[in-house]
């Protein structure tokens, strides 16, 4: 077989919620899922070339019981097949190799499934030569990943506020990405509907350049489904107002230079999701309560990243001392951790022809 083209797709990880911004705020971080794709000229005409797509994988989730390498089972290729089927293309249109490198920890609240969905939509777009805009690709992403904070940040980049418009019953039916990862059947059966336009709406917010993201990553997983099931169906009005007030302040406070540590710390408090998720994450209450700018110079605020268990600490300096305190608190619970200090990046997912 001869090469037709080589492509590279990169998708950054993301952190969502950022304290009071439950299901609203997302921020793009400098840790990237990468797909290196080689597309070959077909040697014969077939209905599709799914059996001639070779998927290899390195990084987080590699191994016997890790990420599946079948195109019908892997979340990235399942998503790509869904995008193709929605455009009346039932399978990959050429033989190809897809080398996936994933440094994003899975099930840790850093948008691993969201990054996979974005990568899959972009793969479907290039495989089918569909010419989708990023805004249109977001529609496909949101048919699978129904909470827009992570996928919008990963696709568009930067500090993002977003929401998902209400859909009619006829517009729904695609399993959420986390459920889809566990299913062994093909996604094509979910693709008979037309994907609505402008499902998600977003705005890019300003972010002070000196603010870095310290991610303290416990070495255990929390499923998004479990973390959502633990939340109440109804909320106290005072708790909702508490979050709304702080959300309005936080999005402006994070744009100001130099950052106001006291203002940001107070504005990153939350009463909507973190108090309920503490039972899933030993040490969370102690960390949120005791790690403050007054005790740790350089720290601006601290919160759960997404559904957790990763802790997100926003800081301008003193990264080692801040992270060590959180590491030690987790160690008291016999929990090992990994720390990554990441930049907030303005560029989202990218697809380009490889050199």
């Amino acid at each position: 077989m001869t090469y037709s083209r080589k492509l590279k797709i990169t998708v950054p990880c993301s952190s969502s919620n950022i304290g009071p911004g439950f299901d609203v705020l997302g921020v793009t971080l400098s840790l990237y899922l990468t797909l290196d794709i080689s597309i070959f000229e077909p040697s014969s005409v077939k209905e599709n070339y799914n059996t001639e797509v070779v998927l290899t994988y390195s990084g987080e989730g590699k191994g016997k019981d890790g990420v599946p390498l079948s195109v019908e089972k892997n979340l990235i290729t399942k998503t790509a097949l869904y995008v193709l089927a929605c455009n009346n293309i039932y399978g990959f249109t050429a033989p190809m190799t897809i080398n996936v490198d994933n440094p994003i920890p899975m099930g840790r609240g850093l948008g691993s499934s969201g990054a996979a969905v974005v990568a899959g939509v972009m793969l479907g777009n290039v495989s089918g030569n569909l010419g989708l805009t990023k805004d249109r690709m977001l529609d496909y992403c949101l048919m699978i990943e129904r909470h827009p904070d992570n996928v919008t940040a990963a696709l568009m980049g930067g500090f993002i506020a977003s929401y998902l418009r209400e859909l009619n019953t006829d517009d729904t039916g695609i399993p959420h990405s986390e459920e889809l990862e566990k299913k062994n059947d093909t996604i094509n059966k979910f693709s008979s509907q037309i994907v609505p336009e402008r499902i998600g709406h977003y705005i890019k917010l300003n972010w002070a350049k000196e603010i870095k993201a310290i991610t303290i990553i416990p070495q255990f997983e929390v499923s998004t489904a479990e973390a959502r099931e633990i939340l109440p169906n109804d909320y106290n009005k005072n708790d909702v107002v508490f979050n709304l007030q702080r959300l309005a302040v936080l999005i402006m406070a994070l744009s100001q230079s130099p950052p106001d540590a006291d203002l940001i710390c107070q504005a990153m408090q939350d009463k909507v999701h973190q108090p309920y998720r503490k039972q899933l994450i030993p040490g969370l209450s102690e960390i949120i309560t005791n790690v403050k700018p007054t005790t740790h110079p350089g720290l601006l605020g601290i919160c759960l990243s997404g559904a957790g268990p990763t802790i997100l600490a926003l800081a301008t300096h003193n990264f080692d001392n801040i992270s060590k305190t959180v590491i030690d608190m987790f160690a008291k619970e016999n929990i090992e951790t990994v720390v990554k200090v990441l930049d907030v990046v303005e560029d989202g997912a990218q697809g380009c022809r490889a050199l």
Side-chain angles (χ1 to χ4, degrees):
M1 290 188 291
T2 58
Y3 285 118
S4 171
R5 50 184 171 151
K6 290 187 177 183
L7 303 166
K8 181 185 288 286
I9 292 171
T10 59
V11 184
C13 79
S14 57
S15 179
S16 63
N17 300 334
I18 325 298
F22 179 66
D23 275 4
V24 177
L25 296 181
V27 64
T28 310
L29 303 176
S30 57
L31 190 65
Y32 296 89
L33 171 71
T34 302
L35 277 61
D36 286 299
I37 306 158
S38 296
I39 302 176
F40 300 91
E41 292 285 354
S43 57
S44 60
V45 177
K46 295 184 178 181
E47 182 179 356
N48 67 63
Y49 295 87
N50 291 359
T51 60
E52 296 182 47
V53 174
V54 177
L55 184 64
T56 61
Y57 192 95
S58 61
E60 297 282 341
K62 179 182 178 180
K64 180 180 177 181
D65 299 320
V67 173
L69 298 181
S70 163
V71 295
E72 283 83 17
K73 296 179 181 180
N74 182 273
L75 179 58
I76 295 172
T77 47
K78 267 187 177 183
T79 300
L81 290 171
Y82 166 67
V83 173
L84 291 168
C86 286
N87 289 274
N88 299 311
I89 302 171
Y90 295 97
F92 287 105
T93 57
M96 66 179 74
T97 60
I98 306 168
N99 299 310
V100 180
D101 180 56
N102 177 36
I104 305 172
M106 303 177 72
R108 305 296 208 280
L110 287 170
S112 60
S113 63
V117 168
V118 171
V121 170
M122 296 186 75
L123 175 62
N125 184 44
V126 298
S127 174
N129 198 26
L130 301 177
L132 301 176
T133 65
K134 271 196 170 184
D135 281 341
R136 187 59 175 143
M137 283 192 275
L138 181 60
D139 293 328
Y140 287 91
C141 291
L142 292 174
M143 289 300 291
I144 298 171
E145 183 79 14
R146 288 301 170 79
H147 307 290
D149 41 13
N150 282 113
V151 290
T152 308
L155 183 62
M156 301 301 179
F159 182 32
I160 297 277
S162 61
Y163 67 90
L164 178 69
R165 72 172 170 86
E166 293 184 352
L167 297 176
N168 298 323
T169 304
D170 292 342
D171 292 331
T172 60
I174 310 300
H176 182 275
S177 60
E178 188 163 281
E179 179 186 351
L180 193 60
E181 282 185 286
K182 299 174 183 176
K183 287 181 174 287
N184 291 327
D185 54 5
T186 177
I187 193 172
N188 288 0
K189 71 179 186 179
F190 300 107
S191 59
S192 58
Q193 67 212 107
I194 297 173
V195 175
E197 295 186 4
R198 293 185 59 78
I199 298 173
H201 297 260
Y202 67 93
I203 187 168
K204 279 197 170 189
L205 304 167
N206 293 324
W207 184 274
K209 299 297 184 183
E210 56 264 57
I211 303 176
K212 307 290 186 183
I214 310 170
T215 57
I216 302 98
I217 308 164
Q219 296 305 287
F220 68 91
E221 296 185 17
V222 171
S223 78
T224 302
E226 184 181 10
R228 285 194 172 272
E229 287 171 2
I230 210 165
L231 299 178
N233 292 324
D234 300 296
Y235 284 94
N236 178 283
K237 181 178 72 173
N238 290 337
D239 290 346
V240 174
V241 171
F242 179 96
N243 270 48
L244 289 173
Q245 290 172 332
R246 281 152 184 78
L247 175 60
V249 173
L250 181 64
I251 59 176
M252 292 303 297
L254 290 174
S255 72
Q256 294 178 340
S257 183
D260 184 327
D262 181 63
L263 182 65
I264 292 172
C265 180
Q266 296 296 322
M268 281 181 67
Q269 294 180 31
D270 161 74
K271 289 189 177 182
V272 167
H273 72 105
Q274 291 178 165
Y276 303 97
R277 288 170 168 170
K278 63 185 179 182
Q279 58 188 290
L280 300 176
I281 305 164
L284 175 61
S285 292
E286 181 186 3
I287 291 165
I288 297 297
T289 301
N290 296 320
V291 183
K292 300 290 186 182
T294 52
T295 58
H296 294 76
L299 179 67
L300 301 173
I302 195 163
C303 63
L304 198 59
S305 179
T310 293
I311 299 297
L312 175 71
L314 302 182
T316 56
H317 62 280
N318 200 24
F319 308 128
D320 291 343
N321 185 45
I322 295 166
S323 58
K324 184 179 184 305
T325 299
V326 179
I327 291 169
D328 290 344
M329 288 181 174
F330 274 128
K332 291 178 183 178
E333 304 290 341
N334 297 313
I335 297 171
E336 295 183 356
T337 53
V338 171
V339 175
K340 297 180 185 293
V341 179
L342 303 173
D343 293 320
V344 173
V345 292
E346 289 298 321
D347 292 330
Q350 302 289 321
C352 62
R353 187 179 297 273
L355 297 177

